[in-house]
Amino acid sequence: MNTTEIDLDIVSDTFRAFVDQAAFDSLIESWNQKLNALEADASVFERHFSTAFFKQMDMAADTLDRLDAQAFEDPLERLVSEVSGPAVVIGPDLRVASVNAEGKDAFGASQGMFLSLDCMTPETRMDFDALLRTHSGRGNRAQAIVQILDPDTDEPAFRAEAFLFKTSNQDGCYIVIRSLELDWTSEVSASLSHAFGMTEAEIEVAHQFFECCDLAKVAQSRGVSVHTVRTQMKTILSKTGATSQAELTRLFSMVASRQMLQTRGLISEWQDPLGREKIIITGAGRRIAWTWMGAKDGTPAIFLRGMAMGYLLPENAERKLKRAGIKLLIPSRPGYGNSSLHGELPVLEDNRASLHAFLVEMGLKGCVGIGLSDGIIPLLAQQDKDPDTFSALVSVGFNGCLNRAAFRKLPVPQATLLRLARTAPRLLELIAKIGQRMIQRYGVDWYLDRAHASTPLDLQICRNPATATLVRDACSHLVVQGTRTFVRDMQMFHAPVDGAIDRLAIPILSMVPTEDGLFDLDEYRQLEARNSRVKVLPVPDSADLLIYQQTDFIMDRIIEIVSGHRQ
């Protein structure tokens, strides 16, 4: 089949997708058409393209790397990025959905954590409680002014506005808390000196005037006459071009705000929402970040997240684990969060080696291993290499890695990306970078709407502020180091684990969602027939994000299995 026209569409859509959402969707469809027309063998993939085509792809990648960062259009990210001081957005359960760098320090909470209302003075906390009652439909107060305490001194630090905010695609409201005050930083002083040639003495007068707006107080603070300060202010007005003290104040506010906006940002380094993360550095220099959930001294079990589902679970999950005396040990897989990725290793071996190093460091042998979605793959690989590693395995979610027949029923976007992961990972990397640029501009919801467009149950999770914070946290954990982890995880779905399943000598429970469009009980029964150790358990009323949809059901099964294999 002559696919030259499709190739031209791919080139065109690739460049247009830098700025156009519709072009990105068209790009995926063009790649789907191209892959449908090609041979399945990855080894002959490149012969179906001209040299000029790959030159265009390389040019696109180079251009993309040199483009400026996108301005935030994600409504939650914009709420915390458009102010110059501390800002945080929380869900109805007080879990942080978005926070800027200043907010993390001021409120003592990072994304995914719960905001403690002890950060407010008791007097203004009452006003905030009235706002919460409005959120739950029991009041009529849509805004409050609160006083935030300094976390170190417990003294009032700054005033903040609190208000309800509803995004266009959400079913409920978030709660926004943003500083009403600006800080004068050294960067502000440097900007005034560079832009207007102001002296150190003039900058200090400007700073004190900005803080109190009273020339007499400035004079008293500096130990000089009011006349002297007025003279200096005239010079400052002349240098800046401001025509009045009011205009000068607005200028200083703009400079202070701009400087803080330049230094502010979403947290570029991953921070464990549970506040328990530790870092293991192996002799080979591998970094393995890990945390835990449940009972501090409980029976240990390994818990590996999947691409779609993060390790941060609803509160009721941790309560169940504590009551059952179980401790989930949660290592971040390579490239996730603060764990290092070793690109010289094949993706499956990289994940298996990291898991093995973590088990050795923790002195674990014979515990239960739990994997969400593709998180089960490293567990299977390690168990195949050392049959004494685990006593039982639990798989939660899409099992294309276990049931290959499910791949053919995937929606076009997911199927196309998975096929590219097998045939052309460097081109998938380019698409992933374009997608990341879209996320930076339009927010995580842009990605989630496409990833879960075919599953209404999953969209409900993404559009409910109480659970959307969990999904947003999972996305941040995935992309904080860039797009390579996403690409390699796509490749890992193709990892050859069929032999590991056939050779498995310990029980494995595979909990699969019934409403994700891929569920076929007969196919899963064939999996059971291959190995009597495999048991498939359909999870009703659940789709790809089943860990958030049927938390109690899934946690009860995990608790049963871990409790039954206590050493």
Side-chain angles (χ1 to χ4, degrees), residues 23 49 52 54 117 126 168 177-178 183 222 248 257 265-266 271 314 339 359 372 382 396 430 444 450 511:
F49 297 89
F54 283 107
L117 298 186
M126 296 173 63
S168 60
I177 307 174
R178 304 195 305 187
D183 288 332
R222 295 181 60 75
L248 188 65
S257 177
L266 304 180
Q271 301 208 335
S339 287
L359 291 168
L372 304 182
Q382 176 58 32
V396 181
L430 174 59
V444 175
R450 283 157 178 76
M511 289 186 272

Side-chain angles (χ1 to χ4, degrees), residues 110-111 113 270-277 290-292 311:
S110 58
Q111 183 173 301
M113 294 177 63
W270 172 255
Q271 301 208 335
D272 172 30
L274 301 173
R276 303 163 180 163
E277 185 175 80
W290 69 279
T291 186
W292 59 275
Y311 68 76

Side-chain angles (χ1 to χ4, degrees), residues 505-517:
I506 61 172
I508 176 172
L509 174 66
S510 177
M511 289 186 272
V512 295
T514 61
E515 307 299 326
D516 67 350

Side-chain angles (χ1 to χ4, degrees), residues 441-462:
R441 179 172 183 180
Y442 298 111
V444 175
D445 290 338
W446 175 89
Y447 163 73
L448 296 176
D449 284 347
R450 283 157 178 76
H452 303 296
S454 62
T455 50
L457 280 175
D458 291 333
L459 285 179
Q460 289 178 19
I461 292 294
C462 299

Side-chain angles (χ1 to χ4, degrees), residues 146 156-157 168 202 204 208 237 242 245 292-293 325 397 499 501 561:
V146 296
S168 60
E202 289 165 349
E204 183 58 31
Q208 292 182 0
L237 287 166
Q245 292 182 4
W292 59 275
M293 180 177 288
I501 297 171
I561 292 171

